[in-house]
Amino acid sequence: MSSIFDGLRDVTVLSITVRMVLAVICGGIIGIEREYKRRPAGFRTHILICLGAAMTTLTSQFLYLNLHYYTDMARLGAQVVAGMGFIGAGTIIVTRRQRVKGLTTAAGLWTAAIVGLALGGGFYEGGIAATVLILLAELLFSKLEYRMLENAPEVNLYMEYSGKPCLERVLKLYRERELKVLNMEITRPTESETHNACAIFTLRLNRRCSLEVLLANMHAIPGVVSVEEL
């Protein structure tokens, strides 16, 4: 443990102020990256969650140390950890193209609450270190993830097309490129008069056919309205 924070371990007016300010700063640092990417839960949301979690720990300590209510000090914090599941679930959506979005934001909200609990309990080193690691995960590790996905042997493609002959031409292209279709799901049949037909493919690529080339070839097929990676 760092000796810098030794004078702030006890529950005093100064330590309470420092913990609340740190909760606002750390929550804002985590949330500003989500705000930059225009996610549903951004800067202010992360601040409020981190500050609220810190206040929960402070309240538990106050009840135990000052009011002498000899109860489990971790009980309120446990409710924060469980209750964050409801808020996090609200940021997760499944688009009409069967794409799940918001998982990282939900995880960020949950970890922001944990950081708040740590800071509220006086565990300054853990809260600050967790904030730095969360920021690294959201900024630097995301680039590594995208690079790994570019070289992934399996891809999921969402395609909108106009009719059954178009689908047959796409399957013929897969055979010509020696691509293995691991799974194919027709999410909207061609009989629909108001919408284009939709299909989701799970493909195994090979070294002779990159994803960019495959998407360009699919766009060139008559009847393909749109195609993108999921």
Side-chain angles (χ1 to χ4, degrees):
M1 304 293 286
S2 176
S3 59
I4 300 176
F5 300 106
D6 287 345
L8 299 174
R9 304 292 182 188
D10 297 329
V11 180
T12 62
V13 175
L14 177 61
S15 68
I16 291 174
T17 303
V18 171
R19 295 177 193 187
M20 293 175 64
V21 170
L22 278 177
V24 171
I25 294 174
C26 291
I29 290 174
I30 297 172
I32 199 168
E33 187 271 341
R34 296 285 91 189
E35 187 77 28
Y36 178 76
K37 293 185 178 180
R38 299 184 181 275
R39 295 298 187 262
F43 185 66
R44 292 179 298 170
T45 305
H46 282 76
I47 287 178
L48 292 176
I49 286 176
C50 192
L51 180 59
M55 280 303 302
T56 300
T57 308
L58 285 169
T59 302
S60 298
Q61 291 181 345
F62 179 80
L63 292 176
Y64 184 85
L65 299 175
N66 295 81
L67 298 184
H68 305 295
Y69 290 167
Y70 297 109
T71 59
D72 185 4
M73 292 178 61
R75 183 175 297 177
L76 289 178
Q79 300 307 311
V80 171
V81 175
M84 278 307 303
F86 292 97
I87 298 179
T91 66
I92 301 174
I93 61 173
V94 180
T95 67
R96 66 183 182 92
R97 299 180 180 182
Q98 305 300 312
R99 186 173 183 178
V100 180
K101 301 184 68 176
L103 288 175
T104 303
T105 302
L109 291 172
W110 187 79
T111 50
I114 304 301
V115 169
L117 291 174
L119 294 174
F123 186 24
Y124 304 101
E125 298 88 347
I128 294 173
T131 302
V132 174
L133 292 174
I134 293 168
L135 199 62
L136 286 175
E138 292 183 342
L139 292 177
L140 300 182
F141 295 167
S142 61
K143 297 180 180 179
L144 176 62
E145 181 183 5
Y146 294 148
R147 185 168 298 179
M148 291 173 61
L149 289 175
E150 289 178 355
N151 299 320
E154 296 181 6
V155 295
N156 295 312
L157 299 181
Y158 172 86
M159 182 184 71
E160 292 187 7
Y161 58 100
S162 58
K164 187 176 180 180
C166 173
L167 180 61
E168 293 175 351
R169 286 190 287 267
V170 170
L171 295 176
K172 181 180 178 181
L173 172 66
Y174 294 159
R175 290 192 295 269
E176 293 174 350
R177 290 286 184 175
E178 297 181 358
L179 304 178
K180 185 176 181 180
V181 180
L182 302 177
N183 186 42
M184 182 177 69
E185 179 183 354
I186 306 297
T187 60
R188 188 182 298 135
T190 56
E191 288 77 9
S192 176
E193 298 180 356
T194 57
H195 300 90
N196 294 316
C198 303
I200 297 177
F201 302 98
T202 301
L203 304 175
R204 177 168 294 167
L205 302 179
N206 54 52
R207 296 182 179 179
R208 296 185 299 275
C209 181
S210 65
L211 179 60
E212 291 76 13
V213 173
L214 176 61
L215 292 177
N217 292 337
M218 293 179 66
H219 278 294
I221 295 177
V224 174
V225 178
S226 66
V227 58
E228 65 180 37
E229 182 185 6
L230 292 178

